[in-house]
Amino acid sequence: MTIAATIEQKLLTAFSPFYLDVINESHMHNVAPGSESHFKVVIVAQAFAEQRLIKRHRAVNAILADELANHIHAL
């Protein structure tokens, strides 16, 4: 399973979002072709209603803690 697919599956399971887009932006950085190191995530979920941005970021980062620590450089 690719890192992008792992990110998508974890976020779908954790937040049941209305909308989720996991975008591999690695090609925009100085990395080897085909790398999975830099991602952008756009997520819309009821779980984030009335939460401040920092709390939303922390919730996503908590779900993706292993990926952030071991597999990806930037989210």
Side-chain angles (χ1 to χ4, degrees), residues 3-4 23-40 71-74:
I3 295 171
I23 306 155
N24 184 347
E25 294 186 337
S26 301
H27 67 279
M28 298 167 51
H29 300 273
N30 189 21
V31 297
S35 292
E36 287 190 290
S37 59
H38 296 74
F39 289 91
K40 176 179 180 178
H71 303 290
I72 64 175
H73 177 72

Side-chain angles (χ1 to χ4, degrees), residues 4-23:
T6 299
I7 291 170
E8 183 174 337
Q9 186 56 49
K10 284 186 170 189
L11 295 176
L12 285 170
T13 300
F15 300 111
S16 299
F18 304 117
Y19 178 83
L20 175 63
D21 195 9
V22 178
I23 306 155

